[in-house]
Amino acid sequence: MPEIDAEQESKEILNAYNGMLRAAKHAKKDAVTRKRMRTAFYVAVEAHKTDRRKSGEPYIFHPIAVARICAEEIGLGATSIICALLHDTVEDTEITLEDIEEQFGKKEALIIDGLTKISGVVDNNVSLQAENFRKILLTLSEDVRVILIKIADRLHNMRTIGSMRRDKQLKIASETLFLYAPMAHRLGLHSIKSELEDLSLKCQEPQMFDEIQHKLKKTQEVRARFIRKFSSPIKDELERKELVFEVKGRSKSIYSIWKKMTTKNVTFEEVYDLFAIRIIIDSKSENDEKSDCWQVYSVVTDFYQPNIERLRDWISAPKTNGYESLHTTVMSPTGKWVEVQIRTKRMDDIAEKGFAAHWKYKEGGAESQFDKWISQVRELLESSNESSLDLIGDFKLNLFTDEIYVFTPNGDMKSLPTGSSTLDFAFAVHTQVGENCLGAKVNGKLMPLSHQLSSGDQVEILTSKNQKPKEDWLNFVQTHRAKSKIKHSLNEERRKVAKEGKGILEKEFKKLKISYENISLKELQSFYKVPSDLELYYDIAIGKIDLTKLKELEVREGVLRPKRKIVKRVQNLFGQRKVIGATVKNLQKPVLVIGDNMEKLDYNLANCCNPIPGNEVYGFITVSEGIKIHKTSCPNTVQLMSNYAYRIIKASWIDEQDAAFLTGLKIIGIDDVGIVNGITQVISNELSVNMRSLSFDSHDGVFEGRVMVFVQDTSHLTNLIKNLKDVKGVTKIEQIDK
Ligand code: MN
């Protein structure tokens, strides 16, 4: 280890601090603020006095550098500088949040708390989990400075990444590309975003990076010459118009060249000359800005032919990250398209440094696009009760994709993520408009809900009071807002239905004389295999759940639970009887008396022969399904009686009044167009007969139909058969068991 010259180090630390202060000219420089900053500096120096960075230099250089980035490159003020100086103290040293609050105030303590939490979740994990991402965003919604300082912190770490372990470098670099660069982009910090990308690439693909950098240098002079030649007539004309301006030529960043090369599979030579010429005007006042820019546009296009389709006016409609600029692509004399960006100094500052830079111009200004964005983020986070994973998916869409701009019939502009539908637009206008949306007129033409919008579309939403959100709407929308509103409304609808289900359930328990207080809903949910109360009630209401099965439950030890097995078996008997066909009324069990004592016992009808009242029957005691009732004419009777005589018990019908029984009929006839109609008409006209299923077959002109019907008894059935025989074409009817 080299000898450390403490005195020399102290001097260098103080120099670094003073350098930072000079870069923070815009921060309030009254005595109190100056003193607070100095105190923060001393507290940090003291706290980190024994810490050193991996490079060996005193740790305090890092917080000072972060504070300097905040001030100089993002344009933040004194509060952020203080917090940046202290940003690692709570996490890494003895200093507590209470200390910070006591010495600097509540706001500072909150920001540092946010920073500590973020590094807790981001820096100490191998991979970034959705939950962590959510935490970051939650913090962001509290105070955006937390995110800005964190980005500055990351930028400095990336600039000094060389002294870290290789595996850590790669982890940090990919995290930077995944999270920090897009975030910086979304916050409008263009140069920081570019630098983060370049530094990450340098770390991940060092050879490729060097190669591109080298080639860029080699071709620099060619570009410079081109720019001089291209801009010279424009310059002369602008000077003649007495505009104060500056012309810059900017090549693409190394990262974006690399990205183009890899995604489009092209060589450096094919992309190196992609660059923009930027004309920056020093407008006399903010009121002149727009007309100044258009004046420059007019000059540029006087000399060079513009591609009308590539005109972008982000002055009239700034991007949500605050970007303002006028872009046009024109044909140069060498036959190459060149993008020209026209903007004022103020716009350029915002484009490079983001909104914070703008705050320098407008202290406590009116509601800006930025504030709007922050409040959107907050709304989104507050309204969300979904899993983090959903959130990150939806959020990424909102946060990182480009926007389109569409207009209401009155010309109000809405910005939406690329790929948004008319339905997204409707929800952006108003929740009610979204919920009642039928379709839309896009540029005067009728379009469906799912129609994908493009920038510049004028959209008139058509609504109807009777319209309600549908499940499949979720497939048509992109924005988090629309998704959550639709989900909310669908749930609301389910809740209403579920309420009815709850009522039905309560009544059912009353019938069973079980007090509702004794019911364990958990037990019921697992009994019916549904995941939640809501689902349970909903399924009851729509009839998906068979409440007759409740007989399989009992209150034991004060709690509702499935009956013990032996008891369950007997109770199960009736529950097994399945009756389909909603119009069947009076599904009382057919009344049988069973055994020598003629008792009313529970039983099941054997489905091999489907006995009905009036048939001769007997009971058979099965091993697992209780008593089954068979017709004496059942084909199984001989076998059952000879092998299990001891299980046979007497059974006979005692009441044939109002029960309905399932039986089958085979109808043979001559194929005729009208025969099906005739048969169904007879069945539906016959009082109290309900059809469960029917199938028809036709072979060589011979018709064969099978119908399952519910009838009351044998005489009822006889009558039905008689009427069916009268249908034109029917020649024969047989009773069948299934
Ligand atoms: Mn740090």
Side-chain angles (χ1 to χ4, degrees):
M1 242 209 183
E3 194 83 7
I4 291 164
D5 183 341
E7 208 175 305
Q8 179 63 23
E9 260 184 14
S10 302
K11 234 186 237 166
E12 282 169 11
I13 291 168
L14 203 59
N15 278 343
Y17 177 73
N18 287 327
M20 186 277 292
L21 278 186
R22 277 192 300 277
K25 280 192 280 284
H26 60 279
K28 275 187 209 141
K29 287 295 184 57
D30 58 89
V32 179
T33 310
R34 261 204 318 272
K35 196 167 166 241
R36 278 164 54 81
M37 289 197 276
R38 189 156 285 268
T39 308
F41 169 61
Y42 285 138
V43 168
V45 167
E46 183 60 23
H48 292 297
K49 70 179 172 207
T50 56
D51 303 336
R52 286 188 180 262
R53 303 199 84 208
K54 288 262 155 46
S55 59
E57 67 174 7
Y59 194 87
I60 187 68
F61 281 115
H62 167 65
I64 294 171
V66 174
R68 182 166 181 155
I69 293 170
C70 285
E72 191 172 28
E73 297 177 52
I74 308 182
L76 295 172
T79 303
S80 304
I81 291 170
I82 289 167
C83 293
L85 286 169
L86 297 167
H87 81 271
D88 279 329
T89 55
V90 173
E91 199 190 356
D92 298 339
T93 76
E94 307 279 279
I95 291 181
T96 64
L97 273 181
E98 288 73 41
D99 297 337
I100 304 270
E101 183 168 346
E102 204 175 293
Q103 228 168 351
F104 299 96
K106 218 179 174 78
K107 194 166 55 189
E108 286 77 0
L110 266 175
I111 294 173
I112 288 171
D113 188 31
L115 286 163
T116 309
K117 279 180 187 150
I118 289 185
S119 68
V121 292
V122 175
D123 300 343
N124 300 329
N125 286 303
V126 181
S127 67
L128 198 68
Q129 302 296 312
E131 180 54 29
N132 302 340
F133 194 90
R134 182 185 159 86
K135 278 183 192 155
I136 292 165
L137 296 166
L138 277 167
T139 320
L140 163 68
S141 72
E142 264 168 39
D143 193 323
V144 70
R145 281 174 291 204
V146 172
I147 282 301
L148 293 169
I149 295 167
K150 190 67 202 170
I151 289 173
D153 182 30
R154 175 53 58 112
L155 179 59
H156 185 242
N157 286 335
M158 285 301 294
R159 283 174 181 171
T160 54
I161 201 169
S163 42
M164 298 205 100
R165 252 178 29 216
R166 183 68 185 147
D167 60 326
K168 269 203 143 183
Q169 284 185 9
L170 289 172
K171 184 207 155 214
I172 289 175
S174 61
E175 207 178 81
T176 302
L177 276 182
F178 169 75
L179 182 62
Y180 290 93
M183 207 125 79
H185 174 61
R186 200 58 190 82
L187 291 166
L189 306 170
H190 182 262
S191 18
I192 289 183
K193 172 221 165 206
S194 281
E195 190 179 347
L196 285 174
E197 285 173 345
D198 280 359
L199 289 169
S200 301
L201 181 66
K202 189 177 177 185
C203 181
Q204 291 178 330
E205 305 264 357
Q207 276 162 356
M208 187 53 106
F209 183 89
D210 287 347
E211 201 182 310
I212 297 174
Q213 193 174 40
H214 177 73
K215 284 183 171 173
L216 266 179
K217 245 184 215 146
K218 255 177 54 186
T219 51
Q220 201 172 15
E221 189 41 45
V222 185
R223 281 194 303 277
R225 215 178 309 134
F226 177 85
I227 291 162
R228 273 196 303 274
K229 215 173 148 200
F230 177 89
S231 54
S232 108
I234 299 171
K235 275 183 169 170
D236 293 345
E237 186 59 22
L238 292 181
E239 268 158 21
R240 220 179 49 79
K241 288 190 185 300
E242 291 180 349
L243 281 165
V244 185
F245 65 94
E246 186 190 353
V247 177
K248 281 187 193 166
R250 282 196 78 131
S251 77
K252 289 174 99 46
S253 72
I254 295 177
Y255 177 82
S256 56
I257 290 175
W258 170 80
K259 211 162 171 210
K260 227 176 196 133
M261 285 167 65
T262 48
T263 57
K264 301 231 163 120
N265 204 15
V266 292
T267 62
F268 174 84
E269 283 65 32
E270 289 171 86
V271 289
Y272 83 101
D273 54 352
L274 284 179
F275 58 89
I277 287 177
R278 190 175 294 167
I279 302 172
I280 301 159
I281 315 148
D282 200 352
S283 285
K284 284 198 186 83
S285 93
E286 228 177 282
N287 294 331
D288 298 336
E289 289 190 23
K290 194 170 172 180
S291 67
D292 284 353
C293 288
W294 283 105
Q295 217 181 331
V296 175
Y297 172 84
S298 154
V299 171
V300 170
T301 52
D302 276 349
F303 289 103
Y304 304 111
Q305 185 61 38
N307 179 342
I308 300 298
E309 280 176 20
R310 306 266 320 255
L311 173 67
R312 299 283 179 274
D313 174 10
W314 283 305
I315 292 176
S316 312
K319 287 193 190 183
T320 42
N321 67 10
Y323 186 82
E324 289 173 74
S325 194
L326 191 60
H327 292 191
T328 177
T329 301
V330 299
M331 182 61 80
S332 73
T334 55
K336 207 168 63 179
W337 290 111
V338 176
E339 182 179 291
V340 182
Q341 304 174 346
I342 302 160
R343 57 174 77 155
T344 62
K345 253 182 100 121
R346 180 191 62 85
M347 295 173 190
D348 192 52
D349 225 12
I350 291 174
E352 291 295 316
K353 295 184 182 175
F355 255 108
H358 185 49
W359 297 339
K360 282 197 286 186
Y361 293 92
K362 275 186 178 171
E363 204 63 45
E367 197 201 37
S368 60
Q369 288 272 347
F370 185 81
D371 292 331
K372 236 192 243 167
W373 180 65
I374 290 298
S375 72
Q376 272 170 21
V377 171
R378 199 173 296 128
E379 186 188 324
L380 199 147
L381 292 167
E382 280 167 3
S383 75
S384 173
N385 52 4
E386 292 160 70
S387 75
S388 317
L389 218 64
D390 275 1
L391 183 79
I392 186 172
D394 296 348
F395 209 91
K396 271 197 92 158
L397 269 176
N398 281 341
L399 201 56
F400 303 141
T401 55
D402 278 321
E403 297 121 321
I404 54 166
Y405 300 98
V406 281
F407 299 88
T408 67
N410 308 329
D412 285 342
M413 191 198 72
K414 301 271 167 202
S415 63
L416 293 166
T418 306
S420 291
S421 63
T422 46
L423 196 53
D424 281 306
F425 178 84
F427 275 100
V429 171
H430 193 276
T431 305
Q432 198 67 47
V433 174
E435 288 179 344
N436 295 342
C437 179
L438 278 177
K441 273 189 184 167
V442 179
N443 307 322
K445 256 198 219 149
L446 209 59
M447 291 294 177
L449 297 171
S450 55
H451 174 73
Q452 202 171 315
L453 296 171
S454 315
S455 255
D457 281 347
Q458 187 157 43
V459 188
E460 183 190 344
I461 296 295
L462 307 170
T463 60
S464 156
K465 270 189 187 150
N466 298 324
Q467 178 71 307
K468 267 189 230 161
K470 312 265 188 317
E471 199 80 37
D472 64 349
W473 283 20
L474 290 169
N475 303 329
F476 307 152
V477 294
Q478 281 263 14
T479 53
H480 184 89
R481 182 186 166 84
K483 269 186 203 166
S484 69
K485 297 285 182 196
I486 293 168
K487 281 183 193 166
H488 181 79
S489 159
L490 290 172
N491 272 337
E492 200 70 347
E493 202 59 28
R494 281 175 88 83
R495 256 189 283 275
K496 263 189 234 157
V497 176
K499 218 174 154 191
E500 284 170 34
K502 193 178 176 193
I504 295 171
L505 186 66
E506 280 170 351
K507 259 189 227 152
E508 204 58 35
F509 276 114
K510 224 181 223 166
K511 261 197 238 161
L512 294 171
K513 302 203 167 60
I514 296 175
S515 92
Y516 202 72
E517 285 73 58
N518 283 327
I519 296 166
S520 146
L521 283 174
K522 274 251 146 51
E523 202 65 65
L524 266 186
Q525 280 165 34
S526 71
F527 182 71
Y528 281 115
K529 300 190 177 62
V530 287
S532 68
D533 301 3
L534 182 70
E535 215 73 8
L536 177 74
Y537 294 143
Y538 182 80
D539 284 356
I540 289 172
I542 62 167
K544 199 171 150 193
I545 277 180
D546 180 10
L547 283 178
T548 58
K549 283 179 95 183
L550 281 180
K551 294 191 168 183
E552 294 169 32
L553 296 174
E554 66 175 354
V555 178
R556 213 172 343 118
E557 290 146 23
V559 183
L560 187 75
R561 39 180 91 181
K563 284 187 179 168
R564 291 205 174 93
K565 242 198 171 152
I566 189 102
V567 185
K568 182 181 161 192
R569 211 182 293 151
V570 178
Q571 293 291 339
N572 206 7
L573 296 175
F574 186 67
Q576 293 258 325
R577 213 172 86 91
K578 276 190 202 132
V579 181
I580 305 170
T583 50
V584 177
K585 278 175 217 154
N586 236 345
L587 286 179
Q588 286 168 8
K589 59 183 170 183
V591 189
L592 265 176
V593 282
I594 299 171
D596 290 337
N597 298 333
M598 305 298 254
E599 292 164 24
K600 290 184 186 174
L601 297 178
D602 266 306
Y603 61 87
N604 237 351
L605 294 172
N607 48 21
C608 49
C609 56
N610 282 325
I612 64 172
N615 290 147
E616 290 270 18
V617 290
Y618 65 92
F620 182 76
I621 303 164
T622 64
V623 178
S624 57
E625 291 172 275
I627 301 166
K628 282 216 162 161
I629 303 297
H630 292 261
K631 284 187 201 167
T632 42
S633 64
C634 174
N636 292 322
T637 299
V638 177
Q639 190 254 348
L640 292 175
M641 289 205 174
S642 53
N643 290 326
Y644 307 101
Y646 61 99
R647 291 201 194 164
I648 306 285
I649 51 172
K650 267 201 276 185
S652 51
W653 306 103
I654 56 161
D655 188 1
E656 304 177 3
Q657 281 309 297
D658 40 23
F661 303 94
L662 185 62
T663 192
L665 296 173
K666 186 157 105 183
I667 306 162
I668 314 279
I670 294 149
D671 201 356
D672 174 59
V673 216
I675 195 166
V676 175
N677 208 8
I679 291 167
T680 50
Q681 212 146 56
V682 166
I683 294 172
S684 53
N685 286 346
E686 191 71 22
L687 206 65
S688 320
V689 172
N690 287 290
M691 191 154 40
R692 173 177 148 177
S693 69
L694 75 151
S695 60
F696 293 106
D697 242 346
S698 180
H699 292 289
D700 305 316
V702 177
F703 167 92
E704 190 188 312
R706 284 164 179 268
V707 193
M708 296 302 285
V709 286
F710 288 102
V711 293
Q712 286 176 325
D713 50 39
T714 40
S715 63
H716 192 194
L717 183 62
T718 313
N719 198 43
L720 177 66
I721 292 172
K722 194 179 132 261
N723 288 338
L724 281 172
K725 274 190 177 152
D726 291 337
V727 173
K728 190 176 162 247
V730 171
T731 55
K732 194 179 164 196
I733 294 178
E734 281 171 28
Q735 194 185 348
I736 50 169
D737 290 330
K738 41 160 60 173

